Amino acid sequence: MDMLQKECLLRLGLLLCVSFGFLLHPLVTAVIPLGSKLSVVDNDCWVSSNGDFAFGFFNITDEPNQFSVGIRFNSKSIPYSQQTLVWIAGAHVKVSNMSYFQLTPQGELVLFDYLHGVTGWSSQTGNRSVVSAALHDNGNLVLMDAKQNVIWQSFDTPSDTLLPGQSLSVYETLRASTKDPQNSYYSLYLNASGRLQLRWESSVVYWTSESPSAANLTAFLTTDGSLQLRDQKFKTVWSVFGEDHNDSVSYRFLRLDLDGNLRLYSWTEASQSWRSVWQAVENQCKVFDTCGKRGVCVFNASGSAECRCPFKVTDTNICLVPYEQDCASGINMQQYKNIYLYGIYPPDDSVITSSLQQCEQLCLNDPRCTVATFSNIGRPQCSIKKTNYITGYEDPSLSSISFVKRCSGPLAVDPGLKKSPPPKPSPRRLCVRCIVGAASGTFLFFAFVQLGIVFFICRRKSSTMRKVTLAFTFPNSKGLMVLSFAEIKSITGDFKNRIGPNMFKGVLPSNCLVAIKDLNASIEERKFRSAVMKIGTIHHKNLVELEGYCCEFNNRYLVYEYAKAGSLDKYLDDPTLCKRLTWRNRIEICSSVAKAICYLHSGCREFISHGNLKCENVMLDEDSVAKVSEYGFAIINGEATYCGFSAEKDVGDFGKLVLTLLTGQRDHEQVCEWAYEEWMEGRVDNVVDKRIEGGANSEELERALRIAFWCVQMDEHKRPPMEEVARVLDGTLNVDPPPSPFQLPCNPQENGSESELESVV
C-alpha cells in the first residue's frame, strides 16, 4: 500500500473515529416498529438479523460532542477497529450529544438536533403509509408499507460506499468522505451516456469507465467481487473484477476514498484487515490534485506515490510557484523535463497549439502566466497556467516539458540593491612566476577533472546497481520490480547476452538470474502498467512468472524468472540436446503447456490469451518441467495490446506445438497435412520423431494426434476448449477421431454444430 493510500486510510480513521457511539446496547430485530428511537445518551443501535450490520450514532474525535448516525459493519469476525462505516444519514449532518434518531409514528426517519431544536435530517416519508423499518442482512436500511413494498431505502442514497447488491443510477454520485461531504472535492458520477466518471469539483474528469455509450445503465456491485454496468434487461455491458473475484470472501465494499481513487475492498481473515483488490486509477499520481498544495506527485520505483515540491515551500508547508508580477530584476523560465503541471484554484488552464519554443515564449510574454507545459500526444500543444497554486505529476516516461516562471537574480530579494561599479584596471607587468603557477594549476586542474569523471562513472554505475537492489528488495504492492531503462541496461550488461529474439539474460545484485524481454512494440503507458499489474498476480507452476517491468519513455521491458535449461526450440534444433527429449518428456511437456493455457483461459479472474504460443516461448527448468512464457501481450504491426487474441487462436497454436513435438519438424503447414495423411493411412509410426530413443507409446501417440488434429481445425468453432484438451492428454477423457482439419464448412451457419463439438469427447 503506498504512502498516500496509507494517509487516506489514516485520515478516514481519524475522521470517522472508529470509536463509534453505536456501542453498548444492540437491539437485534428483523422489524423496527413505528415509534422506535435511538439516542446518543443510551448508546443503542439497530442490528441486522445476521448481526453483520448495525445502525446507530458515532462521534468524530476532533469535534467533541458532535455526532452523526449511520450504518457500519458489525460482524464479530471483524475487530471493532475495522468495522468500517458504509452509510451516513444526510452525509454531512452532525448533531449534539443530547440528540436522538426516531422512526416517527407517521413513518418518517428523523434525526433531531436537541441543542438547536431542529430536524437535522429526515427521510421525508411521513405521508407515504410506512408501517415499519428493517435493517436487512445486506446492510440496507428500508422503510416498508403494509404490503411490504419498499417506500424508502438507504441503498438509494449512498454516501461514499456501495455494498454488494447496491446500485448507482444515472446522475447519482458517491462523494469521498470529508467533514463536509457535500463540499467534497472528489465524486463518482454515472453520466447520461452510461459511463462512470471520477471527477474533481464536478468539473475535472480524471477517469472514465471504458464502457460503450448507452442510455439507462446502472452500476452494480456483485457479491463475487465485480463492478458492472447493466442495461434495463440486467445484461452486463461492462465490468471490472477484483483480484479475488469468485473467491470465498465474506465481506466486500466499493468506496471512493479520500485520495480520490475508487477502490474495491475485501475482508481478509488471515490478516484481519481490509485489502484493496482493485482500484480505478492504477497510478495514484494520475488522480487529479493528488498532492494538492503539497507539490508534484512522483510514482517511485517501489510503487509508492510521493509528493515533492520542486518550487518554493512556504511556512505553512504550501508549495507555490515563486513568481510575482513586480519582479524588479527581471524574470527567467526554469525548465522541468518529464513533469506535467496543471493549475488548481482555479483549474481552468488555457490550451493552444504551439511548438516547444513558442510555448516557453508565450508564458514569458504574458505577465499573468506562471507556468507553461508543452506536450505532444497526438498534436503539439501548450497549456498556460495563471495561478501560483500548481500541482501535477512526474514520470520518466512522460514526454512533457514544463516551464516555471521565476524572478531572477538577487534584486528579486532586495530591489534596492545596486551593483557597485568595477574598479579601473591598473597596468600589469609580465610575471614569470605567475605563468608557471598558472600552468601547473591548469595541469593539476585537468588531472583532477579526469579523476573526477572516472569516479563519477564508477559511482553512477554503483548507484544504478543500488537502485536495482532496492527495487528487487522492495517491490511494489503487486510484488513487481519497477526498473528504469538505465537499470535494465545495467543488469543485462548493456544487452550483451542475448538468449532469444529480443530476450536477454540479466543478473540482479542478489546474483539472481532473470530474463529481460524487450517488447519492441508501442503501447500506451497506462495500458502497459495496467496489463503488467494483472499479469504480475498470475501464479502457476507451468507459467514463467513476471517479476518486474520497465516503463520509461518509449521503452517497454518485461522481467521474467530465468529458466536455466532454455527454450524448447533449442532442444528440437540441436541433435545432441534433442536426445534429452524422451517420449515421456514430450508428452509431459504437452500436458504442462495445455494446463498453463487452460489456466490463462479459465483459471484466472479474467480471460487472458497468449497470442504467440510456439516452441520459443516454452521454457524448460533444470528438471525439464515446461513453463510457458510471454503470455498476455499480442503484438500486431508494431502495436502491443493486452489479450488481443482469441482462445481459438491459442488452441490452434497449441495443436501445432504438439505436432512439432511429436514429429520433430518445424514447418507447421506441411507437417499438419502430412501427419494427418499418415495417420489416416494407418502409418502412424512414420509420424514419430526418429530421434526419440525407444520410440513412442502407441496409446499416448494416438490420443495426442487426435487432440492435435482437433485443435488445428480450420473451422475455429470446432476447436475444443483447453480444459478438454488437458484432460484428453492426461487420459481422463476420451476423444473421437477428428475430421480433416483442412476442410472449411460449406454452410457458415453449420460452424461448430453441437454434434461435431460433442464428438471431441
Side-chain angles (χ1 to χ4, degrees), residues 383-402:
S383 175
I384 301 293
K385 299 91 172 137
K386 298 182 180 180
T387 173
N388 290 82
Y389 294 100
I390 299 294
T391 186
Y393 52 91
E394 177 182 357
D395 195 297
S397 64
L398 286 175
S399 59
S400 303
I401 297 177
S402 292

Side-chain angles (χ1 to χ4, degrees), residues 37-254:
K37 189 175 182 180
L38 301 174
S39 69
V40 176
V41 174
D42 292 337
N43 288 335
D44 47 7
C45 60
W46 297 329
V47 179
S48 61
S49 59
N50 62 0
D52 285 347
F53 295 93
F55 178 90
F57 283 96
F58 62 92
N59 73 309
I60 299 175
T61 53
D62 60 353
E63 294 187 28
N65 300 322
Q66 293 290 301
F67 296 84
S68 293
V69 66
I71 302 170
R72 63 172 171 88
F73 282 101
N74 188 61
S75 172
K76 293 181 179 178
S77 63
I78 302 178
Y80 191 72
S81 61
Q82 298 288 326
Q83 291 179 355
T84 306
L85 276 167
V86 296
W87 183 76
I88 303 173
H92 67 293
V93 176
K94 303 176 186 67
V95 294
S96 63
N97 59 357
M98 297 295 292
S99 302
Y100 63 86
F101 186 88
Q102 184 180 24
L103 175 58
T104 68
Q106 292 76 34
E108 185 174 19
L109 292 172
V110 174
L111 176 61
F112 185 77
D113 187 345
Y114 180 84
L115 180 64
H116 299 95
V118 297
T119 299
W121 174 87
S122 77
S123 61
Q124 299 181 352
T125 54
N127 57 351
R128 299 183 61 185
S129 304
V130 172
V131 298
S132 65
L135 181 58
H136 286 176
D137 289 347
N138 61 356
N140 189 17
L141 179 65
V142 300
L143 298 178
M144 297 172 291
D145 62 15
K147 296 182 180 180
Q148 298 299 294
N149 296 317
V150 175
I151 304 300
W152 176 94
Q153 58 182 344
S154 60
F155 270 17
D156 287 340
T157 57
S159 305
D160 63 347
T161 301
L162 289 184
L163 290 170
Q166 189 172 2
S167 60
L168 189 73
S169 301
V170 174
Y171 303 130
E172 290 186 341
T173 63
L174 296 183
R175 291 189 178 275
S177 290
T178 63
K179 293 181 180 179
D180 186 0
Q182 290 297 103
N183 296 322
S184 173
Y185 293 139
Y186 295 113
S187 63
L188 174 70
Y189 176 74
L190 182 59
N191 67 14
S193 299
R195 290 191 173 96
L196 287 169
Q197 296 179 333
L198 286 175
R199 307 190 304 179
W200 183 84
E201 286 197 338
S202 302
S203 58
V204 178
V205 176
Y206 57 90
W207 176 84
T208 303
S209 60
E210 297 178 357
S211 52
S213 179
N216 299 317
L217 296 185
T218 301
F220 187 83
L221 181 63
T222 67
T223 56
D224 59 6
S226 70
L227 176 62
Q228 301 177 347
L229 285 175
R230 297 177 174 180
D231 61 19
Q232 290 180 305
K233 296 181 179 179
F234 301 102
K235 179 183 177 182
T236 302
V237 298
W238 175 85
S239 60
V240 291
F241 304 91
E243 295 174 7
D244 57 359
H245 177 243
N246 277 334
D247 289 356
S248 179
V249 176
S250 300
Y251 308 104
R252 306 178 191 269
F253 65 86
L254 180 81

Side-chain angles (χ1 to χ4, degrees), residues 399-458:
S399 59
S400 303
I401 297 177
S402 292
F403 301 97
V404 177
K405 188 178 289 186
R406 292 175 177 268
C407 295
S408 57
L411 294 181
V413 178
D414 185 3
L417 182 64
K418 296 182 179 180
K419 292 184 179 179
S420 57
K424 294 182 179 180
S426 57
R428 295 184 178 180
R429 293 178 298 174
L430 183 65
C431 178
V432 176
R433 291 182 179 180
C434 296
I435 295 174
V436 173
S440 302
T442 302
F443 173 77
L444 290 174
F445 171 75
F446 280 106
F448 278 116
V449 167
Q450 289 180 351
L451 288 173
I453 292 173
V454 173
F455 175 76
F456 173 75
I457 293 173
C458 294

Side-chain angles (χ1 to χ4, degrees), residues 15 20 27 72 203 281 486 515 533 538 663 669 673:
L15 175 64
F20 298 107
L27 304 174
R72 63 172 171 88
S203 58
V281 186
M533 290 301 177
I538 298 174
T663 64
E669 299 303 326
E673 294 189 33

Side-chain angles (χ1 to χ4, degrees), residues 615-651:
C615 293
E616 289 85 343
N617 294 332
V618 176
M619 316 304 291
L620 300 178
D621 67 10
E622 52 192 358
D623 298 321
S624 296
V625 175
K627 291 190 172 188
V628 177
S629 180
E630 299 185 36
Y631 47 89
F633 284 103
I635 300 176
I636 307 172
N637 298 326
E639 295 283 338
T641 58
Y642 176 62
C643 297
F645 288 107
S646 65
E648 289 78 13
K649 183 184 187 306
D650 284 350
V651 174

Side-chain angles (χ1 to χ4, degrees), residues 643-668:
C643 297
F645 288 107
S646 65
E648 289 78 13
K649 183 184 187 306
D650 284 350
V651 174
D653 290 344
F654 175 77
K656 296 173 185 177
L657 179 72
V658 172
L659 291 174
T660 299
L661 265 173
L662 298 182
T663 64
Q665 300 183 38
R666 304 287 297 276
D667 190 343
H668 296 140

